[in-house]
């Protein structure tokens, strides 16, 4: 059974979480609780004290961005992404591993390209000193950095998955 | 070879004057250049790019041209023209805009972006589902604002400024999570009119939108084509401004006929509002750096305010 | 390559990668990146940064992780076990048993949530493990949840209607009202189908043992009370004007924790487990949402949707032909584009044409939402299919097959709405003197 409760018909080889993924997971959990506290505070401020924090939808958006990107590597390391198992279930052990390594390599290339673009976005925002048009005037590079970091960690997690699968493949070949 | 540009506008509605005008700009460019340069317009939201990042999209050549009304995060100095109660008439706006033009152009140019022109929405005014027939009625009402400057204004009048995304406004009005909004008739006023019962027509600020292009891409065009692009923008900007001003009065009539209580500005409220917010103008400019402070000083001197 | 050929090529790659077993979020991401590269080379990727930021920097989307956390708290505190134990006794006499609660649960939840994904994910997360444990037909379990989830945008509040209303300058309040009757009708038709199906093929649902004594009945009712409190409290917080629909998700989490303390088991360890699972599930679902945005960007960047619509506008058809063309257009687009993208790309071009054909914009809004619902459960890009796939233990092909009957029922409702527009228009027409 996979860690997210799903049962797979085929063996889902994953690297298992490392310290980076565990840290990301804890940060995401923290952000999730922060979201609840923030929204609760806004609701209380508005309904009991007739005032508004004026930051909830802004910070809420940033927290969601961070959660989206930082949770990707966590899901990858736990093997929580799902696949159509139609063809996979019909392949032999080695063929399945080889095909998955090829997929992971393609995913790695796409993720690396996205990481490059996200990094460029952060640098651009930093260089041109863009801020959010809100009372907080948050410099945009700060929340945007979580996207680049998350994507980069996903690349690392994919690399580890590929290594794990290659090792398995060698092990079964001997 | 023929050059192809993308134009991204913040407006999601194809039928409003601003969108029609930008579409006319695109058509004129294609026609005047004989297809040497074609411009494809994308409505707001049709690309998953925030309308507050159009400046960045043009700067980074993701799109080559933009109709950008939400640039204050990128070019904070532009906020001078939007300070609540600073500018009281179109004439005053023109004076102020002339002073601000070099500042704006310099700030955009730093990002590799050229300003080719701008058009102007009529006054943003207050709408509410609760009684709102004078500035004093703002007290205790929850008003949705679109900028921190408007938020400060509402706060100083004893109201509660609330920031909400546009998609959440209808249900928030419906369930009185907010009581009212600050917007122009041509815009939120028309979209949310069913949920609003009062309109108080004291102008709080104008809302301008700039037409921008990526500098590098623009400079690669031949001088003749550059001139034609500039002309297409220059030809259409006053038309958009005028169409919206005309529409504004018609809409006011339409709202009143639909049962909305439309109240003209009360004598004395202009001073009440100005007194509440004027101390904030300098505070604001100081927080935006020396250029903003200098620009505001010039504008205030010119307006005698 | 021409844009049409590019599109077919990239779609073939997507379907191919999906079928041979690349993980779902990547099988959407890889072709999106490839499409941008094909279309404009490396510079085509330049927009990815701003698109990523623009699509995911959304407070409205934060309802997704929060509602999933709510469901996880119910799960970890063993409350959902109790709720389903009680429900199974109460609905044992209805053909289809707990499958009926899938639809009813989605319909009730739809009154809280404006999004299909959130509805399918939240109810699915609570219901699927229980249904699988109790040996309900996996196809029908998954299919009813994927389809039931789409009620999220027909029954108000609805993000799709808000966007449509904004685009066409029609009253969102009236659109919401227009969605109520079709939403209830669709719910009733889904439930009737399950009942009839279960009547003729009892094998799809196990016979639940009903309450054998008054005491057992009371205890079953008591088991269901916490869920009622949760749903009632969350809906109440929205309709009393305390919170926005997005904020209600946080209220739901807090209520779930409070209820878990009183009715179930709750501790810091349980909360931590719930948070951990939520993060892993979100890593999956939010990635899929993000990938769908990337794909949608790639397609709109190439202007394919606009080309198709423009082509349709230029045909100058009769009203009936026009309807048929719309039907084909949206069925095809529904397969490809994420829901909001469908509105944004087509409505601005089609809206002026609607007026020429004398089509009521409110009515069309409801029709459009129904098309979007179908798109959300139609392969290859049916977001609800993937959402259900990401929270259950079975095969994607079973989810797809399971939604087919519900798809057909939606076509029936579509026909009914064309023949009897009053189904949608009656309620809004009752509201007079709107200022
Ligand atoms: Na809903
Ligand atoms: Na689909």
């Amino acid at each position: 059974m996979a860690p997210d409760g799903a049962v797979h018909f085929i063996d889902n080889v994953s690297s298992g979480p490392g310290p980076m993924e565990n840290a990301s997971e804890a940060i995401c959990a923290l952000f999730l609780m922060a979201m609840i506290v923030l929204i609760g505070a806004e609701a209380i401020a508005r309904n009991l004290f007739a005032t508004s924090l004026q930051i909830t939808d802004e910070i809420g958006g940033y927290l969601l961005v961070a959660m989206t990107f930082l949770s990707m590597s966590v899901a990858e390391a736990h093997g929580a992404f799902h696949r159509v198992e139609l063809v996979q279930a019909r392949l032999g052990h080695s063929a399945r591993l080889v095909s998955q390594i090829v997929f992971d390599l393609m995913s790695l290339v796409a993720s690396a390209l996205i990481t490059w673009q996200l990094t460029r976005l952060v640098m651009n925002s930093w260089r041109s000193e863009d801020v959010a048009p809100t009372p907080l005037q948050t410099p945009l590079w700060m929340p945007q950095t979580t996207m680049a970091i998350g994507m980069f960690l996903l690349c690392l997690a994919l690399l580890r998955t590929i290594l794990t699968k290659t090792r398995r493949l060698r092990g079964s070949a001997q | 070879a023929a050059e192809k540009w993308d134009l991204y506008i913040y407006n999601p509605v194809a039928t409003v004057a601003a969108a029609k005008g930008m579409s006319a700009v695109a058509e004129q460019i294609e026609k005047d250049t004989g297809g040497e340069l074609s411009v494809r317009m994308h409505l707001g939201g049709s690309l998953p790019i925030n309308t507050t990042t159009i400046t960045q999209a043009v700067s980074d050549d993701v799109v080559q041209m933009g109709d950008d009304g939400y640039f204050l995060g990128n070019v904070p100095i532009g906020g001078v023209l939007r300070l609540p109660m600073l500018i009281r008439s179109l004439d005053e706006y023109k004076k102020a805009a002339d002073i601000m033009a070099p500042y704006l152009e310099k700030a955009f140019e730093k990002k590799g972006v050229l300003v080719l022109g701008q058009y102007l929405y009529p006054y943003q005014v207050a709408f509410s589902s609760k009684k709102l027939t004078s500035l004093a009625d703002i007290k205790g009402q929850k008003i949705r604002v679109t900028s921190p400057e408007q938020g400060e204004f509402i706060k100083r009048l004893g109201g509660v400024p609330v920031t909400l995304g546009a998609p959440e406004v209808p249900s928030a009005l419906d369930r009185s999570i907010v009581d009212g909004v600050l917007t122009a008739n041509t815009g939120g006023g028309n979209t949310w009119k069913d949920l609003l019962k009062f309109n108080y027509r004291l102008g709080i600020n104008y809302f301008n939108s700039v037409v921008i292009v990526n500098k590098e891409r623009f400079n690669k065009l031949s001088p003749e084509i550059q001139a034609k692009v500039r002309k297409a923008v220059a030809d259409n900007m006053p038309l958009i401004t005028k169409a919206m001003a005309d529409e504004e009065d018609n809409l006011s009539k339409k709202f009143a006929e639909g049962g909305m209580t439309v109240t003209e500005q009360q004598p004395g409220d202009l001073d009440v509002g100005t007194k509440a917010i004027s101390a904030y103008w300098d505070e604001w400019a100081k927080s935006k750096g020396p250029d903003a402070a200098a620009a505001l000083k010039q504008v205030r001197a010119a307006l005698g305010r | 390559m021409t844009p049409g050929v590019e599109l077919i090529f990239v779609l073939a790659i997507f379907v191919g990668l999906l079928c041979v077993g690349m993980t779902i979020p990547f099988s959407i991401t890889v072709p999106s990146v490839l499409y941008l590269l094909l279309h404009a080379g490396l510079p085509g990727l330049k927009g990815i940064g701003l698109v990523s930021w623009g699509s995911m920097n959304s407070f409205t989307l934060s309802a997704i992780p929060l509602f999933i956390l709510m469901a996880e708290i119910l799960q970890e505190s063993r409350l959902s076990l109790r709720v389903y134990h009680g429900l199974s006794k109460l609905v044992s006499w209805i053909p289809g048993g707990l499958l009926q609660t899938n639809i009813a649960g989605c319909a009730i939840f739809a009154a809280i949530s404006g999004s299909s994904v959130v509805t399918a994910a939240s109810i699915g997360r609570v219901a699927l493990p229980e249904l699988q444990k109790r040996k309900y037909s996996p196809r029908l379990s998954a299919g009813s949840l994927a389809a039931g989830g789409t009620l999220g945008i027909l029954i108000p509040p609805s993000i799709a209607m808000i966007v449509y209303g904004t685009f066409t300058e029609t009253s969102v309040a009236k659109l919401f009202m227009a969605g109520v009757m079709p939403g209830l009708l669709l719910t009733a038709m889904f439930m009737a189908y399950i009942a009839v199906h279960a009547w003729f093929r009892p094998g799809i649902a196990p016979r639940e043992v009903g309450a054998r004594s008054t005491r057992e009945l009371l205890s079953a009712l008591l088991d269901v009370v916490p869920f009622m409190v949760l749903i009632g409290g969350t809906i109440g917080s929205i309709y009393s004007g305390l919170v926005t629909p997005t904020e209600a998700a946080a209220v739901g989490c807090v209520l779930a924790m409070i209820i878990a303390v009183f009715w179930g088991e709750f501790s810091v360890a349980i909360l931590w487990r719930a948070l951990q699972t939520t993060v892993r599930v979100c890593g999956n679902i939010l990635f899929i949402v993000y990938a769908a945005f990337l794909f949608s960007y790639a397609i709109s960047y190439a202007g394919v949707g606009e080309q198709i619509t423009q082509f349709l506008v230029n045909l100058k058809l009769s009203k009936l032909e026009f309807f048929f063309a719309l039907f084909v257009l949206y069925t095809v687009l529904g397969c490809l584009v994420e829901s909001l993208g469908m509105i944004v790309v087509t409505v601005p071009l089609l809206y002026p044409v609607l007026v020429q054909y004398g089509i009521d914009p409110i009515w069309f809004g409801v029709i459009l939402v129904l098309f979007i619902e179908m798109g959300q459960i139609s392969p290859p890009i049916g977001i609800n299919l993937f959402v259900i796939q990401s929270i259950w233990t079975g095969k994607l092909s079973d989810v797809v097959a399971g939604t087919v009957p519900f798809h057909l029922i939606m076509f029936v409702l579509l026909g009914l709405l064309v023949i009897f527009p009053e189904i949608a228009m009656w309620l809004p027409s009752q509201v007079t003197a709107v200022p």
Side-chain angles (χ1 to χ4, degrees):
Chain A
M1 198 161 122
D4 61 341
V7 179
H8 296 281
F9 292 114
I10 58 168
D11 179 25
N12 209 355
V13 181
S14 66
S15 62
M20 293 308 269
E21 285 84 15
N22 286 335
S24 295
E25 186 178 72
I27 291 172
C28 287
L30 195 73
F31 283 1
L32 203 51
M33 292 307 286
M35 222 182 248
I36 297 175
V37 171
L38 191 67
I39 294 172
E42 170 71 19
I44 289 170
R46 210 172 47 221
N47 291 300
L48 293 184
F49 301 104
T51 175
S52 168
L53 306 179
Q54 286 196 71
I55 56 166
T56 307
D57 60 342
E58 182 188 351
I59 302 288
Y62 300 160
L63 290 175
L64 185 84
V65 167
M67 272 198 62
T68 304
F69 286 84
L70 290 175
S71 61
M72 288 171 178
S73 63
V74 180
E76 171 61 35
H78 280 95
F81 293 134
H82 297 251
R83 61 176 94 242
V84 177
E85 296 179 344
L86 187 80
V87 173
Q88 290 278 303
R90 284 173 177 74
L91 294 178
H93 180 71
S94 314
R96 192 188 297 154
L97 278 175
V98 170
S99 73
Q100 289 189 10
I101 290 171
V102 172
F103 299 149
D104 291 341
L105 280 170
M106 291 164 79
S107 307
L108 179 62
V109 172
S111 308
L113 286 171
I114 296 176
T115 308
W116 166 49
Q117 287 301 325
L118 293 175
T119 312
R120 235 174 42 82
L121 176 76
V122 174
M123 309 266 273
N124 280 344
S125 296
W126 162 274
R127 209 177 312 119
S128 55
E129 296 170 15
D130 293 320
V131 300
T134 58
L136 282 182
Q137 300 186 46
T138 314
L140 288 182
W141 66 266
M142 294 199 316
Q144 286 170 350
T145 302
T146 59
M147 300 198 299
I149 293 177
M151 251 312 155
F152 178 67
L153 291 178
L154 177 64
C155 292
L156 292 187
L158 277 167
L159 260 177
R160 287 185 42 215
T161 309
I162 294 169
L163 287 178
T164 310
K165 284 174 183 165
T166 319
R167 235 175 272 134
R168 274 290 168 92
L169 194 61
R170 277 216 206 105
S172 64
Q174 278 158 10
Chain B
E3 177 88 349
K4 285 195 176 98
W5 278 13
D6 289 293
L7 157 66
Y8 191 41
I9 71 176
Y10 62 88
N11 217 312
V13 187
T15 49
V16 300
K20 280 193 220 157
M22 289 314 296
S23 165
V25 169
E27 274 165 34
Q28 190 177 330
I29 291 176
E30 185 148 1
K31 195 169 138 251
D32 287 359
T33 63
E36 282 287 301
L37 173 62
S38 64
V39 178
R40 189 172 62 174
M41 185 170 97
H42 302 266
L43 288 170
S46 67
L47 301 176
I49 294 175
N50 277 350
T51 49
T52 53
T53 56
I54 291 179
T55 318
Q56 284 156 282
V58 173
S59 157
D60 198 22
D61 200 29
V62 175
V63 295
Q64 290 68 46
M65 196 169 181
D67 172 13
D68 190 359
Y70 296 91
F71 54 81
L72 290 195
N74 310 99
V75 181
I77 199 167
V80 170
L81 292 171
R82 302 222 189 135
L83 282 172
M85 310 304 295
L86 178 63
I87 296 169
R88 290 185 181 178
S89 68
L90 264 180
D91 284 338
E92 290 194 357
Y93 181 85
K94 275 181 196 129
K95 261 191 227 167
D98 285 341
I99 297 170
M100 289 307 296
Y103 288 103
L104 265 182
E105 277 162 23
K106 186 177 139 204
F108 273 108
E109 200 155 354
K110 237 174 84 183
K111 295 169 194 291
V113 171
L114 289 180
V115 180
L116 295 190
Q118 55 176 305
Y119 62 88
L120 192 63
Y121 278 84
Y123 265 141
Q124 294 201 299
V125 291
F127 289 84
S128 182
S129 55
K130 286 191 182 159
K131 179 174 173 284
L132 182 66
T133 54
S134 74
L135 218 45
D137 288 336
I138 296 274
K139 192 165 182 194
Q141 294 205 22
K142 288 170 283 189
I143 307 286
R144 185 246 183 179
V145 296
T146 46
S147 72
E149 292 78 22
Q150 287 184 342
E152 189 63 31
F153 182 59
I154 293 298
K155 215 193 273 173
R156 287 178 184 229
L157 291 171
V160 182
V162 180
T163 47
L164 278 178
E168 289 212 278
V169 171
S171 61
L173 277 172
D174 190 33
R175 311 212 172 93
S176 19
I177 289 161
V178 296
D179 302 308
V181 293
L182 300 186
T183 181
N185 283 0
T186 25
N190 198 24
T191 315
W192 305 317
K193 58 180 178 290
D194 293 357
L195 299 157
L196 298 162
K197 297 197 179 70
F198 290 88
N199 176 209
Y200 182 49
R201 303 203 55 78
L202 172 72
I204 296 164
N205 61 271
Y206 287 103
F207 184 93
N208 60 331
S209 181
V210 293
V211 176
I212 53 178
V213 289
N214 182 286
K215 190 178 162 189
E216 219 181 292
R217 294 293 287 257
F218 188 77
N219 287 342
K220 272 191 199 148
L221 301 173
S222 72
E224 300 85 63
I225 291 184
Q226 283 183 10
K228 281 170 183 162
V229 173
R230 281 189 187 278
K231 182 167 180 300
V233 175
D235 284 355
N236 283 287
M237 292 304 106
L239 299 182
I240 300 179
T241 306
K242 180 164 184 310
M244 291 198 295
D246 294 348
E247 206 170 51
E248 189 75 3
D249 295 333
N250 289 336
L251 283 173
S252 265
K253 273 185 218 125
K254 202 170 114 190
F255 294 166
E257 279 161 16
M260 195 187 286
T261 309
V262 179
T263 313
E264 286 308 315
Q265 160 189 322
Q266 302 278 339
D269 264 1
L270 209 54
D271 294 327
V272 173
T274 311
K275 210 176 145 204
I277 195 73
S278 57
Y280 170 73
W281 295 338
D282 285 327
E283 258 173 63
W284 174 90
K286 218 180 278 167
S287 76
K288 307 285 174 192
D291 262 10
L296 177 67
K297 205 170 158 196
Q298 262 178 283
V299 169
R300 289 187 74 167
L303 303 180
R305 188 158 294 126
Chain C
M1 274 193 271
T2 64
V5 178
E6 270 176 17
L7 179 71
I8 293 169
F9 177 66
V10 168
L11 275 178
I13 291 184
F14 163 64
V15 176
L17 289 176
L18 192 69
C19 288
V20 292
M22 183 183 265
T23 49
I24 292 169
F26 286 115
S27 64
I28 308 174
T29 307
V30 169
S32 309
V33 172
L34 189 67
Y35 196 17
L36 288 170
L37 283 174
L38 264 180
H39 200 78
L42 274 182
L45 302 182
K46 264 193 304 203
I48 286 181
L50 283 172
V51 166
S52 307
W53 178 243
S55 55
M56 299 317 286
N57 176 23
S58 155
F59 182 54
T60 317
L61 283 178
S62 67
I64 295 178
L66 290 174
F67 275 125
I68 291 173
L69 176 63
M70 179 180 95
E72 282 313 318
I73 292 171
L74 294 181
Q75 193 89 336
E76 289 291 338
S77 63
R78 303 176 71 78
L79 264 170
S80 45
L81 199 74
R82 246 187 101 175
V83 171
Y84 270 82
H85 183 257
L87 272 179
S88 67
K89 295 239 178 293
L90 294 178
V91 300
S92 61
W93 56 279
I94 308 171
L98 282 179
L99 289 173
Q100 301 284 12
T101 63
N102 280 356
I103 303 295
C106 283
I108 294 170
F109 197 85
I112 310 176
S113 145
S115 134
S116 296
V117 174
V118 175
T119 307
S122 308
I123 298 294
R125 194 77 196 142
V126 179
L128 265 177
E130 293 299 323
L131 290 165
Q132 287 187 298
K133 226 180 286 167
R134 288 162 188 273
K135 304 270 179 281
Y136 277 81
S137 149
R139 267 189 193 186
L140 212 51
S141 306
S144 61
L145 283 164
T150 67
L151 290 169
I153 54 168
L154 188 55
I155 296 174
S158 159
I159 293 174
M161 284 183 182
I162 291 170
V163 173
Y164 174 81
T166 314
F167 272 57
T168 58
E169 300 189 78
T170 43
S171 158
V172 174
K174 281 189 183 173
L175 276 169
F176 278 7
M177 277 187 273
V180 173
M181 296 257 292
L184 293 178
L185 186 59
L186 192 58
T187 310
M189 284 159 75
F190 283 173
M191 294 179 81
Y193 160 73
I194 291 176
V196 170
H197 193 150
W199 190 270
F200 285 106
R201 294 190 43 203
I204 61 155
R207 272 234 93 51
E208 299 281 356
V209 182
R212 274 160 301 198
S213 62
T214 321
R215 202 182 154 154
E216 224 177 309
L217 183 71
L218 279 179
S219 112
L221 277 173
L222 203 65
D223 282 339
V224 181
V225 165
F227 192 64
M228 294 299 171
V229 171
L230 179 65
I231 294 288
T234 314
I235 294 185
S237 72
I238 298 178
Y239 285 86
S240 60
L242 289 176
V243 295
T244 65
T246 306
E247 293 171 339
V251 173
C253 284
V254 174
L255 274 179
M257 286 185 225
I258 295 172
I259 289 167
V261 170
F262 286 102
W263 269 290
E265 303 160 21
F266 198 64
S267 64
V268 175
I270 285 176
L271 177 63
W272 174 241
R273 274 209 304 277
L275 282 166
Q276 275 184 313
T277 318
T278 307
V279 172
R280 287 167 211 170
V281 172
C282 281
N284 214 335
I285 293 183
L286 291 175
F287 194 176
I288 291 170
V289 172
Y290 169 61
F293 270 115
L294 279 183
F295 195 81
S296 181
Y297 170 67
I299 286 190
S300 54
Y301 183 78
V304 175
E306 284 147 4
Q307 282 172 14
I308 297 173
T309 321
Q310 195 62 56
F311 172 75
L312 181 66
V313 169
N314 290 343
L315 286 180
K316 307 215 179 339
L317 305 164
S318 75
K319 189 166 174 175
L320 198 69
E321 289 167 341
F322 181 66
F323 270 132
F324 184 72
L326 280 184
F327 179 82
V328 174
L329 170 78
Y330 279 115
T331 309
V332 172
L333 275 185
C335 296
L336 305 182
V337 187
E338 152 279 339
S339 64
L340 297 185
M342 223 155 111
I343 302 180
V344 174
V345 169
T346 61
V347 168
L349 283 162
L350 281 177
Y351 190 64
V353 188
L354 295 184
V355 181
Q356 285 167 27
Y357 283 102
I359 297 170
D360 188 286
I362 303 273
W363 175 83
F364 184 71
V366 175
I367 298 282
L368 184 58
V369 166
L370 207 55
F371 271 118
I372 294 173
E373 285 189 72
M374 290 194 250
Q376 286 172 326
I377 55 169
S378 67
I381 304 208
I383 188 119
N384 270 19
L385 301 175
F386 298 144
V387 166
I388 293 300
Q389 174 63 22
S390 68
I391 51 184
W392 94 322
T393 64
K395 292 183 276 184
L396 185 64
S397 55
D398 272 348
V399 188
V400 175
T403 55
V404 170
F406 297 97
H407 218 129
L408 295 178
I409 294 172
M410 287 180 183
F411 279 126
V412 173
L413 179 63
L414 197 67
L416 286 176
L417 280 168
V418 172
I419 303 169
F420 308 108
E422 303 81 32
I423 299 172
M425 301 311 293
W426 181 76
L427 202 55
S429 73
Q430 291 307 297
V431 185
T432 46
V434 175

